[in-house]
Amino acid sequence: MSKDDDEHSWSVDGGDSSEGDDRPYGMDSIEQEKAEEAAVAELTRRETRGVQMWRIFTLLSLIAVSVAVSTITFRLLRDQEKDEFEDSYKFFTAAIQNAANVHVRNVFGTSKMTAGQITKAALETGQTFPFVTVDHFEILGRQFIHTLQVEQITWSPLIDVEEYAAWTNYSTENIGWLNQSVELNLAGSENDHTIEDYNFSDTNYEITAAGGDLSSGPWSPIWQTSPPPFNSELINFDMYSLPVTFVEQSAMDKLRRGVMSETGNLEQAAVEVTFESVKDVSTEHDEEEHAAEEDEHADEDTDGRDHGDSHEHQIAHPHSLISEPVFASLFVEDTTEIVGYVYIYFTWDHYMMNLLPEGVSGITVVLKNSCGQSFSYALDGKSATYLGAGDMHDTRYNHMETIIPFFSVKDASEEEALKNTPGHCLYYLHIYPTKEYEDRYDTTNPIKATTVLVFAFAFMITAFLMYDCFVVRRNRKLLNAMTRTNAIVSSLFPSNVRDRIFADAKEDREEKKALNGKSRLKTFLSGNDDDDLDDDVDEDDKYMYKTKPIADLFPETTVLFADLAGFTAWSSMREPTQVFILLETIYKAMDDIAKARRVFKVETVGDCYVAVTGLPDPRKDHAVAMCRFALDCVQKMNVLTKKLEVILGPDTTDLQMRVGLHSGPVTAGVLRGERSRFQLFGDTMNTASRMESNGLPGKIHMSQETAELLVAAGKEHWVIPREEKVVAKGKGELQTYWLVTTKASNNTRSETASSETSGEHSESLVPEAVFDTAAPVMDEKTDRLVQWNVEVLATLLKKVVTRRQDMIHTQESARDVTFSKTTTTPLDEVQEIIRLPVFKRGTGADIKDVDLGDAVLEQLREYVSAVASMYRNNPFHNFEHASHVTMSVVKLLSRIVAPDVDAVNSDLESTLHDYTYGITSDPLTQFACVLSALIHDVDHPGVPNTQLVIENPQLAKFYKDKSVAEQNSVDLSWDLLQDSTFNDLRLAICPTEHDRIRFRQLVVNSVMATDIMDKDLKALRNKRWERAFAGDNAEESAKDAVDRKATIVIEHLIQASDVAHTMQHWHIYRKWNQRLFEELYSAYIQGRSASDPSDNWYKGEIGFFDFYIIPLAKKLRECGVFGVSSDEYLNYAEKNRQEWEARGMEVVAGMVEAAHKKYGTKVK
């Protein structure tokens, strides 16, 4: 009830009577009645208005709920039907898989059994290979043919050159098996042939070959077949003369097991020679029926199906050949000699039968093999219809594909051997549902159920409206009764007495209760206590608060300190915004976990997160809850860093969380002042901090007090004592523990290895860039680096496109651009001055509005992936190093784009252009710089140019013994970009010949600048720097002077980025310095370097700092383009130099010891 209502207390009296009022009583009574009526009317209007609002709100809520529930119900039922459809599909695919596995066991088991029977027959009868004839071979073959539904089984011995004549005589003498097989075959009840159907006129049993060209041996002639051939010309036909079986011979020799050929065409000449004579009349009739079915399917066109090759290239129903080796012995197949082969010829139609129960249809099976062939079948219960060659499944169901291998292996190694051995085909059944199958589960039940719900809600709304009518009627009656009651009371008592009666009838207000310390603290933490934190300060003593502080002691708490190990070094390579993206992402995730775990977040200081359990609400399981929170945070950190590496660049996954826990009492309270904060104090905080600082990355370190609480809670299996005792500041030696649970291991992650991508150098003078769109699978880290590089390049490319759309400064047509292979070497193309565009104010278009298109983005990713695959697996010069250099270039470019320049806002764009020598106004220049950083070490061999000249004299000769590795990287990357695969990408980068030439110049100059070891080139660059920034160029035009400075600044930008690790945090410098040492030491022990790098590594690094790194950093500052980054780079370089001078000898000794241990070399 409102304050206004309280004061009136339902009284509708117009006011108190005043003494001395000489108005007539009747007049006073009339006025009172009018006042009461007015009050009642006002009260009625006020209450009616409120009721109407709630009535409308309730009615709209019911309508909204009805719509929402009906929609949700409809979608749930639809989803249920979809789930039923997917579940039934999975059930039947499992049935198909079981049937296919039975077929695989049967057909390959039969081939192996037949081969064994031949070996057994030879051993039992004393026959020697190859002169082996199996008695009653037709009985053995017919049994397998009828059981497995195959068309032919053939025994073919292996004949050497010296056995040719003997085999011919043997064949002539033992051809009696053929008559025996014919008699047995004619005696069969299912055979309607007669002896006249067989032609045995050819009695010349010499070995023959397809096409009549018999090889020089060895040979694999057909000897015994089932069913027997209708023409004796088939006897002693050399199976090796067929290309498919010859290739399988090499595969069988390696695998020593049965393998399958590619599908054959019964109408091809070679196969016709081999098998046409064994086809019976029924088989030929089946072939004609199959051909008729194919003609029907050729006229059909099913939506959503990929028909593959055109029908004119389709073959008849697919047949395959299983080739099984026959061994001289039965029990030592791994080593015994292969003496012949069993060939089983079958049609795939039989193995597509009986895969589904009767009445189930609408499933498509695509038979595919590793030889690039595919054939489609439609399953209808126990029957199958051949659709034709090619993949004809409905592509809308690609996501439901189930792949069933049609071969058996013992383990993964055997499967890998099968896949990696050429000369045979591996077959797979690809199962897909069809629209017909899905339609069976598409019913009208969701619509019916939704309709019922709509009617139910309509009934509820109608009932509500009727109920509201009755309530309104009742309220009117109550209001009339209240009015009458008030009139009665007013008539019985004077106004002052009446008011007192109404006042006494009110409920007394609830008195404000005094809060104790813990209650007040809890109220403050929930944000509801503001009275005690006012700024009412005594004028005489403004440093004393009137109120008592909000603070208390909490005896049972667990405090967590969590620090990001490696954060300082990581942040030295990033822009400030990237640092905050990382911290905000991780801290937000930890805050969410804290809310879910009922953990109280105290504060964050830098990269340290402080939290506590046991306050403001005490809890007995505070230690257990904090351990779970810590574990969740460590696991979430590992997940987030992998995702953030795509956004924030290399080494983000190297960051790990180091956690320290301690349990004990803390003093908690609100520290009042200008910025009031909730704080914890006490020895528990100090000890928890020591636990964190003495912990290890990726581990959760706890004190003995916390460990004892876990043991008392029955979590002793979470606790592992730390082997060594910790010496903590102010604490002495402490026995501490590690937290380990079954959820995840707290083992420290090892440093992520370099990218495993590698590239082999071509033997040609200028290797052609070879790009395969089916790029090899990259490891997870490399894939994240590829994604990050793609994002960086795509952003810059959008700027290029935006600027081009703004300016449109050329009339050249994009169609006139040609990317022909250059005929000069990159070093010959180095320009002293690269022309940058003159300043032209753009329209300020937003790059967010630019759409590069899916084709360009996909080609960009393919290009970066290809570049990554062209990097070798060197410890230093690898794709990770290229990404590190790219990140430094991006950072320096960001400093160029936003320098510390005081300019009028209206003329800021022009000022930036002049200040940065035009680099900020040309996104193409920025894109070229970043791309150059990415490709500058492509195919780097892991040795200096001096050694590369020795190892590859042809390449060195082509590049004139100058900057061989760098020129090779340019040519490989440029040739790759010219591939037709990247047409859209090239046109997006430089659609005109003018842009192409300038882009080429920028890339060449940038990559060539990374050769810092060539003294002549270094002297030329220094001379150009002096001329640009210290020389007197009065005779040079102003535009030439600006472009000269821009050119030399770009070169020094890429130079500084190439060695950026020396101008970053000490840990970053140590990481890459060790990798470079390992690379050079590896070359040394491989004999690719004459000198041991450890001999002069310490002094060499000092000289490198003094004569190259520090002077380079000073040049960055002198040019005045890179803002605070130039000071940052110089400061880190000088600090690293000092640190190396103090600790370098120790560091080198450690690297040498690690190298000896890794490569097994001896210490000098």
Side-chain angles (χ1 to χ4, degrees):
M1 187 178 293
S2 68
K3 182 177 179 180
D4 185 69
D5 293 338
D6 289 343
E7 290 175 351
H8 288 318
S9 185
W10 295 103
S11 173
V12 292
D13 196 322
D16 296 335
S17 298
S18 59
E19 293 182 5
D21 190 354
D22 55 357
R23 287 181 301 171
Y25 175 78
M27 181 64 67
D28 184 64
S29 177
I30 295 172
E31 290 178 355
Q32 287 183 356
E33 290 179 359
K34 290 182 178 180
E36 290 176 358
E37 290 176 358
V40 170
E42 178 61 24
L43 178 62
T44 303
R45 284 194 300 270
R46 191 165 58 241
E47 293 297 326
T48 302
R49 196 162 45 243
V51 171
Q52 287 177 344
M53 292 179 61
W54 277 106
R55 181 187 298 118
I56 295 172
F57 174 79
T58 304
L59 184 61
L60 293 178
S61 298
L62 284 173
I63 295 174
V65 169
S66 64
V67 172
V69 172
S70 301
T71 303
I72 293 173
T73 301
F74 179 82
R75 291 185 177 179
L76 288 176
L77 292 176
R78 280 294 189 193
D79 291 343
Q80 182 180 4
E81 289 184 346
K82 184 178 180 181
D83 292 339
E84 291 176 356
F85 156 65
E86 293 177 351
D87 291 341
S88 66
Y89 168 71
K90 291 177 181 178
F91 174 79
F92 289 121
T93 54
I96 293 174
Q97 183 170 7
N98 292 336
N101 292 338
V102 171
H103 288 326
V104 170
R105 289 194 300 269
N106 289 343
V107 70
F108 282 97
T110 298
S111 63
K112 189 175 183 64
M113 185 183 300
T114 304
Q117 289 291 343
I118 294 172
T119 303
K120 178 182 177 184
L123 295 176
E124 289 179 348
T125 59
Q127 301 178 78
T128 60
F129 288 102
F131 307 105
V132 174
T133 301
V134 180
D135 195 21
H136 296 99
F137 184 82
E138 178 61 19
I139 296 177
L140 175 65
R142 184 187 301 176
Q143 177 183 357
F144 290 149
I145 288 173
H146 290 172
T147 303
L148 301 177
Q149 298 296 310
V150 299
E151 296 191 1
Q152 183 177 3
I153 299 177
T154 300
W155 150 236
S156 181
L158 189 61
I159 308 300
D160 291 331
V161 176
E162 58 272 12
E163 297 170 334
Y164 180 87
W167 175 254
T168 302
N169 294 333
Y170 177 83
S171 301
T172 305
E173 295 171 358
N174 293 272
I175 196 62
W177 70 266
L178 181 58
N179 294 326
Q180 181 188 64
S181 295
V182 170
E183 292 174 359
L184 291 172
N185 189 40
L186 292 176
S189 60
E190 71 284 356
N191 198 324
D192 55 357
H193 293 287
T194 63
I195 191 65
E196 287 77 13
D197 295 329
Y198 292 86
N199 179 13
F200 296 152
S201 60
D202 185 5
T203 58
N204 180 12
Y205 296 110
E206 293 184 355
I207 299 175
T208 59
D213 298 328
L214 187 64
S215 67
S216 58
W219 306 277
S220 179
I222 295 176
W223 178 229
Q224 291 183 280
T225 66
S226 176
F230 289 97
N231 196 323
S232 58
E233 291 179 356
L234 182 64
I235 305 302
N236 278 348
F237 179 84
D238 183 20
M239 292 294 288
Y240 278 3
S241 64
L242 297 178
V244 62
T245 54
F246 178 79
V247 176
E248 289 178 358
Q249 154 66 14
S250 61
M252 285 187 291
D253 289 345
K254 180 178 180 180
L255 299 173
R256 306 183 72 82
R257 60 164 285 169
V259 294
M260 299 177 70
S261 71
E262 62 183 10
T263 58
N265 188 340
L266 289 178
E267 299 183 16
Q268 292 176 351
V271 179
E272 184 177 353
V273 170
T274 310
F275 296 103
E276 190 70 24
S277 60
V278 304
K279 295 192 299 179
D280 56 19
V281 175
S282 61
T283 303
E284 293 177 358
H285 179 68
D286 291 342
E287 293 288 342
E288 293 176 358
E289 290 183 352
H290 292 323
E293 291 177 3
E294 282 192 3
D295 291 338
E296 292 182 9
H297 288 293
D299 297 331
E300 296 177 359
D301 185 12
T302 304
D303 292 340
R305 289 184 175 176
D306 179 10
H307 291 269
D309 296 334
S310 60
H311 286 284
E312 63 182 2
H313 292 96
Q314 293 183 9
I315 64 174
H317 288 234
H319 292 68
S320 291
L321 193 68
I322 296 178
S323 303
E324 181 76 36
V326 178
F327 301 97
S329 174
L330 289 175
F331 304 108
V332 284
E333 294 181 356
D334 291 340
T335 57
T336 189
E337 178 186 5
I338 296 177
V339 296
Y341 306 97
V342 170
Y343 299 102
I344 297 181
Y345 187 70
F346 68 94
T347 176
W348 283 99
D349 291 10
H350 294 302
Y351 293 115
M352 297 298 168
M353 304 292 184
N354 302 317
L355 294 181
L356 291 176
E358 197 65 49
V360 178
S361 62
I363 292 181
T364 301
V365 177
V366 181
L367 175 67
K368 295 184 179 181
N369 60 32
S370 58
C371 299
Q373 297 175 306
S374 59
F375 307 89
S376 299
Y377 287 85
L379 301 187
D380 184 5
K382 295 183 178 296
S383 64
T385 303
Y386 177 62
L387 302 178
D391 188 347
M392 298 183 179
H393 80 277
D394 194 332
T395 56
R396 291 173 293 184
Y397 300 97
N398 283 348
H399 63 286
M400 301 183 68
E401 177 187 41
T402 301
I403 302 176
I404 303 173
F406 200 85
F407 56 87
S408 61
V409 293
K410 298 178 181 178
D411 49 37
S413 60
E414 184 177 358
E415 182 176 359
E416 191 67 19
L418 283 173
K419 292 180 178 179
N420 295 333
T421 301
H424 70 103
C425 299
L426 294 177
Y427 283 83
Y428 300 87
L429 302 181
H430 295 248
I431 314 299
Y432 306 91
T434 62
K435 188 65 170 61
E436 172 193 355
Y437 186 85
E438 184 179 12
D439 288 343
R440 296 182 180 181
Y441 298 89
D442 187 5
T443 66
T444 60
N445 291 338
I447 297 177
K448 294 178 180 177
T450 304
T451 303
V452 171
L453 278 175
V454 169
F455 279 108
F457 275 104
F459 175 80
M460 291 174 59
I461 293 174
T462 303
F464 166 75
L465 293 175
M466 295 180 65
Y467 171 78
D468 181 67
C469 292
F470 288 106
V471 170
V472 169
R473 184 182 301 177
R474 186 199 64 176
N475 289 342
R476 287 176 180 171
K477 292 180 179 179
L478 289 176
L479 184 60
N480 292 332
M482 182 193 70
T483 304
R484 289 193 298 270
T485 301
N486 185 73
I488 293 172
V489 173
S490 298
S491 63
L492 292 176
F493 302 98
S495 60
N496 57 343
V497 176
R498 180 201 60 193
D499 292 339
R500 180 65 182 272
I501 293 174
F502 282 125
D504 291 340
K506 290 183 180 181
E507 293 183 0
D508 296 331
R509 292 188 178 182
E510 184 178 354
E511 297 181 358
K512 186 176 182 180
K513 298 181 180 179
L515 299 176
N516 57 31
K518 285 188 173 62
S519 299
R520 294 172 67 209
L521 180 60
K522 183 175 180 181
T523 304
F524 173 81
L525 295 179
S526 62
N528 297 326
D529 192 347
D530 298 328
D531 297 334
D532 291 338
L533 293 178
D534 56 30
D535 296 330
D536 188 10
V537 181
D538 194 330
E539 292 296 334
D540 296 333
D541 193 352
K542 61 181 179 180
Y543 299 109
M544 296 293 292
Y545 285 91
K546 287 184 176 181
T547 57
K548 184 179 179 180
I550 302 175
D552 208 338
L553 175 67
F554 294 85
E556 296 182 359
T557 65
T558 297
V559 178
L560 170 142
F561 276 71
D563 180 74
L564 304 184
F567 173 79
T568 304
W570 179 89
S571 61
S572 71
M573 301 182 290
R574 264 73 182 180
E575 301 175 52
T577 54
Q578 293 180 312
V579 174
F580 272 76
I581 288 174
L582 174 80
L583 293 178
E584 288 176 346
T585 303
I586 293 176
Y587 287 164
K588 175 62 169 61
M590 295 179 69
D591 291 345
D592 293 341
I593 298 172
K595 291 179 182 178
R597 292 286 186 189
R598 293 194 300 126
V599 174
F600 184 78
K601 174 185 176 182
V602 180
E603 62 180 344
T604 57
V605 181
D607 62 326
C608 184
Y609 189 98
V610 184
V612 62
T613 51
L615 67 83
D617 296 318
R619 54 189 299 182
K620 294 182 179 179
D621 64 338
H622 56 89
V624 174
M626 184 58 82
C627 288
R628 286 176 172 148
F629 170 72
L631 179 62
D632 289 345
C633 291
V634 171
Q635 293 174 339
K636 191 66 175 180
M637 168 81 176
N638 295 337
V639 173
L640 289 176
T641 52
K642 291 182 179 179
K643 295 182 179 179
L644 287 172
E645 190 166 51
V646 178
I647 303 172
L648 303 180
D651 302 333
T652 304
T653 52
D654 293 344
L655 295 174
Q656 295 178 284
M657 188 171 289
R658 181 175 56 228
V659 181
L661 306 177
H662 177 61
S663 301
V666 297
T667 297
V670 179
L671 191 62
R672 296 178 290 181
E674 185 176 351
R675 291 180 177 86
S676 300
R677 291 171 55 190
F678 178 77
Q679 300 243 304
L680 305 182
F681 299 93
D683 185 64
T684 299
M685 294 289 289
N686 297 332
T687 305
S689 177
R690 300 292 183 271
M691 291 299 100
E692 180 272 320
S693 60
N694 288 279
L696 292 176
K699 286 196 171 187
I700 302 174
H701 193 209
M702 71 178 73
S703 65
Q704 186 168 353
E705 288 79 0
T706 304
E708 289 174 351
L709 290 175
L710 291 179
V711 173
K715 306 297 183 183
E716 59 275 0
H717 57 285
W718 288 13
V719 178
I720 294 181
R722 186 169 181 170
E723 295 180 359
E724 71 281 2
K725 290 189 176 181
V726 173
V727 179
K729 181 180 178 181
K731 301 292 181 181
E733 286 192 351
L734 298 176
Q735 175 61 58
T736 58
Y737 300 82
W738 300 115
L739 174 68
V740 178
T741 72
T742 55
K743 272 188 173 184
S745 171
N746 281 316
N747 293 333
T748 305
R749 293 182 299 176
S750 61
E751 182 179 354
T752 306
S754 298
S755 171
E756 295 297 326
T757 55
S758 63
E760 295 299 330
H761 205 289
S762 173
E763 295 181 359
S764 61
L765 294 179
V766 183
E768 294 290 340
V770 179
F771 174 70
D772 184 5
T773 54
V777 178
M778 295 179 289
D779 60 79
E780 184 179 355
K781 182 177 181 65
T782 303
D783 185 61
R784 290 196 298 270
L785 292 179
V786 168
Q787 292 183 47
W788 176 77
N789 281 285
V790 170
E791 289 295 328
V792 171
L793 289 171
T795 301
L796 290 173
L797 189 53
K798 286 183 179 180
K799 294 182 179 179
V800 172
V801 175
T802 302
R803 187 65 176 177
R804 186 180 301 128
Q805 292 173 350
D806 274 353
M807 308 311 298
I808 315 179
H809 60 278
T810 178
Q811 300 299 322
E812 295 182 82
S813 172
R815 299 179 181 177
D816 297 332
V817 178
T818 58
F819 278 76
S820 59
K821 182 176 178 64
T822 56
T823 57
T824 61
T825 62
L827 191 59
D828 296 332
E829 300 178 43
V830 173
Q831 302 292 315
E832 186 168 346
I833 298 177
I834 298 177
R835 299 298 179 187
L836 268 67
V838 297
F839 175 73
K840 293 183 180 180
R841 192 179 305 278
T843 60
D846 192 350
I847 64 171
K848 295 180 180 179
D849 300 330
V850 176
D851 183 13
L852 295 178
D854 294 339
V856 173
L857 291 175
E858 181 61 27
Q859 290 177 23
L860 180 60
R861 174 170 177 78
E862 291 177 358
Y863 181 77
V864 175
S865 300
V867 168
S869 68
M870 293 164 69
Y871 273 88
R872 303 194 189 188
N873 189 22
N874 300 317
F876 183 86
H877 292 95
N878 51 36
F879 185 64
E880 185 180 358
H881 164 68
S883 299
H884 186 266
V885 175
T886 301
M887 183 167 57
S888 177
V889 170
V890 172
K891 180 177 180 179
L892 289 175
L893 284 174
S894 70
R895 295 302 184 187
I896 292 178
V897 173
D900 297 331
V901 180
D902 294 329
V904 181
N905 290 336
S906 61
D907 201 29
L908 179 59
E909 188 177 357
S910 175
T911 303
L912 291 177
H913 174 87
D914 297 337
Y915 180 82
T916 60
Y917 313 119
I919 297 176
T920 56
S921 303
D922 185 27
L924 183 61
T925 297
Q926 301 171 35
F927 181 86
C929 291
V930 174
L931 184 66
S932 300
L934 183 65
I935 67 172
H936 79 284
D937 276 335
V938 161
D939 197 39
H940 196 288
V943 292
N945 278 324
T946 53
Q947 179 65 25
L948 181 58
V949 169
I950 299 174
E951 294 183 0
N952 198 332
Q954 287 184 311
L955 195 67
K957 180 179 179 182
F958 181 81
Y959 291 125
K960 304 173 185 177
D961 296 337
K962 289 285 188 179
S963 304
V964 178
E966 290 75 16
Q967 295 192 73
N968 184 42
S969 297
V970 171
D971 282 339
L972 286 175
S973 305
W974 189 261
D975 290 347
L976 175 64
L977 187 59
Q978 295 181 59
D979 191 279
S980 59
T981 310
F982 306 111
N983 287 338
D984 297 325
L985 176 60
R986 288 200 311 274
L987 288 176
I989 298 172
C990 37
T992 68
E993 183 67 14
H994 175 269
D995 288 338
R996 185 200 70 82
I997 294 173
R998 193 163 62 83
F999 179 64
R1000 168 80 179 183
Q1001 292 173 348
L1002 289 166
V1003 172
V1004 169
N1005 270 44
S1006 298
V1007 178
M1008 290 300 99
T1010 61
D1011 185 4
I1012 64 175
M1013 303 308 295
D1014 191 300
K1015 295 181 179 179
D1016 296 336
L1017 294 177
K1018 180 181 179 182
L1020 286 174
R1021 280 192 293 270
N1022 290 337
K1023 182 179 179 181
R1024 290 163 59 197
W1025 175 274
E1026 292 296 327
R1027 183 178 179 185
F1029 289 95
D1032 184 11
N1033 301 319
E1035 72 285 355
E1036 193 172 39
S1037 66
K1039 183 65 171 66
D1040 287 348
V1042 170
D1043 288 343
R1044 181 186 299 278
K1045 290 180 179 180
T1047 303
I1048 200 68
V1049 165
I1050 291 170
E1051 292 180 355
H1052 281 70
L1053 179 150
I1054 194 73
Q1055 283 182 321
S1057 299
D1058 194 24
V1059 291
H1061 63 281
T1062 63
M1063 294 178 275
Q1064 292 168 350
H1065 192 274
W1066 169 256
H1067 291 163
I1068 303 298
Y1069 165 64
R1070 279 280 296 109
K1071 168 186 173 180
W1072 289 103
N1073 182 261
Q1074 182 172 354
R1075 291 190 180 185
L1076 181 59
F1077 176 85
E1078 181 183 342
E1079 180 171 303
L1080 296 180
Y1081 188 83
S1082 173
Y1084 168 69
I1085 65 174
Q1086 293 174 12
R1088 302 177 69 195
S1089 177
S1091 60
D1092 186 346
S1094 62
D1095 292 342
N1096 193 40
W1097 196 262
Y1098 172 74
K1099 293 182 179 179
E1101 284 295 295
I1102 293 179
F1104 191 50
F1105 273 110
D1106 291 342
F1107 299 107
Y1108 183 74
I1109 298 300
I1110 295 178
L1112 179 60
K1114 290 181 178 179
K1115 287 182 177 179
L1116 293 182
R1117 185 175 63 178
E1118 290 171 7
C1119 72
V1121 173
F1122 299 102
V1124 296
S1125 287
S1126 57
D1127 294 326
E1128 177 188 3
Y1129 276 36
L1130 180 58
N1131 291 337
Y1132 272 122
E1134 292 175 342
K1135 288 180 181 179
N1136 288 337
R1137 199 269 186 207
Q1138 295 173 2
E1139 192 79 10
W1140 179 263
E1141 187 174 18
R1143 299 172 53 189
M1145 296 294 290
E1146 177 186 352
V1147 171
V1148 172
M1151 292 193 301
V1152 171
E1153 182 180 355
H1156 289 316
K1157 183 177 180 181
K1158 179 175 182 178
Y1159 296 106
T1161 54
K1162 296 182 179 180
V1163 182
K1164 294 182 180 179

